[in-house]
Amino acid sequence: MTDDTTPRERRAKRTRKAILDTAMQLIVEKGPDKLSLREVARRIDYSPAGLYEYFGSKDELVEAACSEADRRLGIYLNGVDPALPPGDYLVELGLAYVRFARENPEHFLFLFGNREANFEHMLPLEDDFQTDEDWGKHDPNFALLISAVQRAIDADVIQTRAGFDTLEIAYTVWALAHGMASLQARYMPHLRLNYAATDRHAMRIMIAGLGHTLPE
Amino acid sequence: MTDDTTPRERRAKRTRKAILDTAMQLIVEKGPDKLSLREVARRIDYSPAGLYEYFGSKDELVEAACSEADRRLGIYLNGVDPALPPGDYLVELGLAYVRFARENPEHFLFLFGNREANFEHMLPLEDDFQTDEDWGKHDPNFALLISAVQRAIDADVIQTRAGFDTLEIAYTVWALAHGMASLQARYMPHLRLNYAATDRHAMRIMIAGLGHTLPE
DNA sequence: CGTAAAACCCGAACAGTGTTAGATAATCCA
DNA sequence: TGGATTATCTAACACTGTTCGGGTTTTACG
């Protein structure tokens, strides 16, 4: 089970994880911009310079924390039962997305509240061949959404039309889920409403609406 | 027309505006976290300490920039013709919201990408009486949305149901618009699709869906 | 083994930051 | 004009990210 890693590699991996963990904790506590390398070093009994053996810069560390948050979001999404009917599956996918934001608001806000840093690692620089959904090649979460939408289309649960195909539909349901997630992550304590029920209702309205054919 | 202000007050207002303007420009250029008071001072030929006559701290300056961005968003929203039919008005309101984000992505991201700083000024601290929509008392933009939704309900363009009333409906359409806005502000160059057309279609689906009565 | 090389970690320094206190210059009002 | 008030600056403090050079430990190899 244990990889054929040398003790050195195992140690390095462990301290790297320690750095990343305290960094994420610090980010949750005070926000990403207030993250201090020196504070991280202090908490794990390292010298500030010592961190540079594991992360080339503060930005690189933040980027790693970003990827980690993205990975955790993926856990929520993959927890949805893929055996559900295509329509229900899309609904639950959106609700899982929102639930991640509700249960980890700091992670969510930080994941999507970062200037450009994010998604540079999952997007090849300057690739013009973004015709369809080779996005998924670099972002497994987005790939999951695309395939779910495609399945709903194939099952005739969702209707396409000219200029409103798989990509546009995926964007639409992502937008709804992302909007609810963002609003909750920010204004949860202020806006008093039954989020779980409201989200499900909203999601159902959207999926159902994508199944009808709108006039004009 | 000119207020009965003393020359002193006019000067103060002017330099205050100068500080705020260069701060916003700097935020657009490098992001809010990279904003440097010293750089602001440098650009308007002031000493760093001089700024503290006008803004008590960096956070206060960022907060002011936030309010300014919120005000500009309000200009977009109030630009929608209120004589439109209630349904169309809601659609156009959402599209104006998204257009603001598309045309001023940095302002939008910074407006909603700030840890708690934002909206502390429009929310009385610790007010438990958030029963309905006295939010609007403090956020005119939200008030506009609420009244638009209420009008659509009164005109029977939108249907309420138990647990899904004005506030929940407003939250839902806000979420959709906010999601599209956020995604575009972040991934505009990467996701290649006709945003204007897609957004309008998505918005119409949602509003139309809110008019039907969903089973179960 | 023993030794060279690589990996690891640290102390000190540099340039930059937000913020404050005290001194100085500019403005207003009598 | 003088005197009081306001506006601004200089200097400093306590931070920050980052780099450089030198020790110390661990690995790899003959």
Side-chain angles (χ1 to χ4, degrees):
Chain A
M1 176 47 65
T2 60
D3 276 329
D4 56 343
T5 60
T6 78
R8 168 171 260 150
E9 286 172 319
R10 268 173 295 177
R11 251 175 316 178
K13 196 162 193 171
R14 194 175 48 205
T15 69
R16 194 189 148 91
K17 176 168 164 51
I19 295 174
L20 195 71
D21 285 353
T22 68
M24 293 198 71
Q25 183 174 344
L26 225 41
I27 286 174
V28 167
E29 287 177 16
K30 313 193 202 174
D33 40 334
K34 308 287 185 196
L35 173 65
S36 161
L37 290 192
R38 295 181 119 98
E39 177 66 22
V40 172
R42 221 169 285 137
R43 293 205 185 186
I44 63 170
D45 303 301
Y46 260 55
S47 154
L51 304 185
Y52 283 77
E53 201 72 27
Y54 299 90
F55 295 94
S57 70
K58 180 180 179 179
D59 282 339
E60 204 171 293
L61 176 55
V62 171
E63 168 86 14
C66 231
S67 295
E68 173 61 17
D70 193 51
R71 198 186 60 82
R72 298 188 190 180
L73 168 59
I75 295 178
Y76 275 70
L77 299 185
N78 284 288
V80 178
D81 181 11
L84 286 171
D88 297 345
Y89 182 69
L90 267 176
V91 170
E92 295 303 325
L93 210 56
L95 294 182
Y97 190 93
V98 182
R99 198 156 39 81
F100 171 78
R102 185 165 46 230
E103 294 174 3
N104 317 276
E106 301 89 354
H107 286 166
F108 181 85
L109 288 177
F110 152 65
L111 175 56
F112 290 101
N114 246 16
R115 201 185 176 74
E116 98 261 272
N118 184 22
F119 282 87
E120 292 306 335
H121 62 287
M122 44 180 62
L123 281 176
L125 328 165
E126 286 306 331
D127 47 352
D128 298 60
F129 57 102
Q130 299 282 359
T131 51
D132 258 39
E133 65 275 89
D134 28 18
W135 255 61
K137 294 284 199 307
H138 304 280
D139 181 355
N141 293 342
F142 190 71
L144 196 65
L145 171 62
I146 287 283
S147 81
V149 169
Q150 193 57 56
R151 243 195 300 166
I153 292 176
D154 294 342
D156 259 323
V157 173
I158 280 183
Q159 313 256 335
T160 67
R161 63 157 64 182
F164 201 78
D165 211 331
T166 311
L167 191 58
E168 284 77 12
I169 292 172
Y171 160 79
T172 299
V173 5
W174 184 14
L176 177 58
H178 187 78
M180 299 190 297
S182 301
L183 294 185
Q184 284 183 46
R186 298 194 67 76
Y187 308 121
M188 179 115 71
H190 300 306
L191 256 187
R192 302 283 174 77
L193 46 81
N194 185 344
Y195 287 110
T198 307
D199 294 345
R200 166 162 273 115
H201 194 190
M203 211 68 200
R204 279 187 178 157
I205 287 177
M206 177 57 86
I207 299 299
L210 288 168
H212 308 335
T213 35
L214 221 55
E216 180 171 357
Chain B
M1 178 45 65
T2 60
D3 279 329
D4 56 345
T5 60
T6 77
R8 168 172 257 143
E9 286 172 319
R10 270 173 295 178
R11 253 175 314 179
K13 196 161 194 171
R14 193 175 48 206
T15 68
R16 194 191 148 90
K17 176 167 163 50
I19 294 174
L20 196 72
D21 284 353
T22 67
M24 292 199 73
Q25 183 173 345
L26 225 40
I27 285 174
V28 168
E29 286 177 16
K30 314 192 201 175
D33 41 334
K34 307 287 183 196
L35 174 64
S36 161
L37 291 191
R38 295 181 120 99
E39 176 67 22
V40 172
R42 224 169 283 137
R43 294 206 185 185
I44 63 169
D45 303 303
Y46 260 57
S47 153
L51 305 184
Y52 283 76
E53 199 73 22
Y54 300 89
F55 296 94
S57 69
K58 180 180 179 178
D59 282 340
E60 204 171 294
L61 176 55
V62 170
E63 169 87 13
C66 230
S67 295
E68 173 61 16
D70 193 51
R71 198 186 60 82
R72 298 188 190 178
L73 168 59
I75 295 177
Y76 275 71
L77 299 185
N78 284 289
V80 178
D81 181 10
L84 286 171
D88 296 345
Y89 182 69
L90 267 176
V91 169
E92 295 303 324
L93 211 55
L95 294 182
Y97 190 93
V98 182
R99 198 157 41 79
F100 171 79
R102 185 163 45 228
E103 294 174 4
N104 317 277
E106 301 88 355
H107 286 167
F108 181 84
L109 288 177
F110 151 66
L111 175 55
F112 290 100
N114 245 19
R115 199 184 175 76
E116 97 260 275
N118 185 21
F119 283 87
E120 291 307 334
H121 62 287
M122 46 180 61
L123 281 177
L125 328 167
E126 285 307 330
D127 47 352
D128 298 59
F129 58 102
Q130 299 282 358
T131 51
D132 258 39
E133 63 276 89
D134 28 18
W135 254 63
K137 293 284 197 309
H138 304 280
D139 181 356
N141 293 342
F142 190 71
L144 195 67
L145 171 62
I146 287 283
S147 81
V149 169
Q150 193 58 56
R151 242 195 301 166
I153 293 176
D154 294 342
D156 260 324
V157 174
I158 280 182
Q159 314 254 336
T160 67
R161 62 158 67 183
F164 201 79
D165 211 330
T166 311
L167 190 58
E168 283 77 13
I169 292 171
Y171 160 79
T172 299
V173 4
W174 184 13
L176 177 58
H178 187 78
M180 298 190 297
S182 301
L183 294 186
Q184 285 183 46
R186 297 194 68 75
Y187 308 121
M188 180 115 71
H190 299 308
L191 256 187
R192 302 284 175 76
L193 45 83
N194 185 345
Y195 287 108
T198 307
D199 294 344
R200 166 161 272 116
H201 194 191
M203 211 69 201
R204 277 187 179 157
I205 287 177
M206 177 56 86
I207 300 298
L210 288 168
H212 308 336
T213 33
L214 220 55
E216 181 171 359

